Amino acid sequence: MPFTPAEPEHGLPIHLFVRLDGDCVYVGVVQPGGCEWTEDELVQCELWIEPPLSSEVLERVRPRSEPPALPGLDWLQYVNADRVKALELFVTDWYPAAEAPRPASEVPVPVPHALAEFYRLARERPAILGCQNRILPQPEQSAGSGGEHTVIGVENQGGFHWSVLRPADSAESDPAVWVTVGGRSQPRAEHESLSGFLLQFSLHEAAMSAPYWATIDHMPRGLVTELRSMLRPVPLKPFLSPVSPMSFLVAPGLVAHIHELGDDEVSVWISAIHRSALTPLGGLPLPWRSFAG
């Protein structure tokens, strides 16, 4: 639809209605954000409801459906003992198998055991390769650092990539994972070796692709205790430690990642497969920016 934006001083308020049972329910005034344009055509726009809807109105305009069986936490018991098994249990419970599995492809360089298992899982569940950042379907030789690194994953805007040293000591090894920011910086090691990194990567990508979110932009670190009262910590050192350290909390069908911001503050991103997994958190005294439960 052609759309010409008004000048801010002449802009009119945007009122939102939801069609429901042959009627229209007034939701309130919304603020646009994150708009994308093609010449004079509005392609996409996020609308923020201010003030947030009451739980009564939200339940009316978007009633809860019957919750499905949520992915469990059986994988969590293996994090310290067998991370490859933990990864497999998490991935196979969270992601449905694709109707048409990807054909097996020959990896041109030897890869460590954990990455070989990740590739095996990705044949039936290609979504685990990532929606935000990506694990490469085939590792690539790094152009920098003398070529002794094999690149295994990339950030979505090319800001950094992950690699392992090549050749790996053996196919059974669990090598360090290195982060290179930009094209010229020296690689820095992730806190966790490859098997733990792949589990962290999978948790992060599961959160980024889940349909229901709850977020907090700035929160005193001490309030993380409130989340820990209802969620279980994943016993791994911070993920993306050289770039933007984050830790994970989980519950059935739910993954939360906590970002360190400095100055004793964190940001929180919680994602769930179904609204019902988020709903219990709504009673916590936290400064939610958005809450879809």
Side-chain angles (χ1 to χ4, degrees):
M1 171 186 298
F3 185 90
T4 302
E7 294 297 324
E9 61 269 22
H10 303 300
L12 297 175
I14 302 174
H15 296 271
L16 182 64
F17 295 80
V18 175
R19 184 176 296 279
L20 187 68
D21 298 330
D23 197 3
C24 282
V25 177
Y26 180 62
V27 171
V29 176
V30 296
Q31 300 294 329
C35 297
E36 296 181 11
W37 303 87
T38 301
E39 296 181 352
D40 62 347
E41 184 175 348
L42 178 64
V43 177
Q44 175 179 314
C45 190
E46 295 180 354
L47 298 176
W48 291 90
I49 302 172
E50 294 290 347
L53 299 184
S54 67
S55 57
E56 292 78 12
V57 173
L58 179 62
E59 193 61 34
R60 184 180 179 194
V61 300
R62 194 181 65 181
R64 293 189 184 99
S65 59
E66 188 66 26
L70 297 173
L73 298 180
D74 289 347
W75 59 272
L76 201 54
Q77 64 184 302
Y78 294 99
V79 171
N80 286 326
D82 187 343
R83 289 175 181 172
V84 172
K85 184 175 181 65
L87 172 67
E88 179 174 13
L89 291 175
F90 172 76
V91 162
T92 54
D93 208 12
W94 188 278
Y95 292 93
E99 293 183 5
R102 293 172 63 249
S105 57
E106 183 178 349
V107 178
V109 296
V111 297
H113 172 66
L115 186 56
E117 286 299 296
F118 187 90
Y119 285 149
R120 179 183 65 81
L121 292 167
R123 288 202 295 271
E124 289 192 352
R125 293 168 170 82
I128 72 171
L129 291 171
C131 72
Q132 174 79 2
N133 304 319
R134 296 278 293 171
I135 296 295
L136 298 177
Q138 292 190 344
E140 299 175 356
Q141 182 173 332
S142 173
S145 301
E148 72 270 17
H149 283 253
T150 297
V151 178
I152 62 170
V154 293
E155 191 259 348
N156 68 93
Q157 295 181 332
F160 58 87
H161 64 258
W162 291 284
S163 64
V164 293
L165 287 174
R166 58 184 301 267
D169 292 338
S170 75
E172 298 301 322
S173 68
D174 193 19
V177 176
W178 298 86
V179 181
T180 303
V181 179
R184 300 178 181 177
S185 69
Q186 289 298 312
R188 292 177 289 173
E190 285 277 7
H191 283 321
E192 295 292 347
S193 59
L194 181 61
S195 60
F197 161 80
L198 290 171
L199 178 56
Q200 291 173 316
F201 176 90
S202 298
L203 288 166
H204 183 255
E205 293 305 309
M208 297 307 295
S209 63
Y212 299 99
W213 300 345
T215 61
I216 302 171
D217 284 342
H218 293 272
M219 184 179 83
R221 186 181 286 106
L223 289 181
V224 174
T225 303
E226 299 286 346
L227 289 172
R228 285 175 174 262
S229 70
M230 303 186 71
L231 308 177
R232 295 180 61 181
V234 178
L236 294 169
K237 297 173 184 176
F239 175 56
L240 269 178
S241 50
V243 181
S244 177
M246 71 181 79
S247 55
F248 295 95
L249 303 173
V250 292
L254 180 151
V255 176
H257 44 96
I258 316 297
H259 291 255
E260 295 290 335
L261 298 178
D263 297 326
D264 211 34
E265 283 192 328
V266 298
S267 67
V268 179
W269 185 299
I270 307 174
S271 303
I273 281 181
H274 192 269
R275 282 180 61 199
S276 61
L278 281 175
T279 301
L281 303 181
L284 295 176
L286 298 175
W288 301 109
R289 177 178 184 264
S290 62
F291 190 84

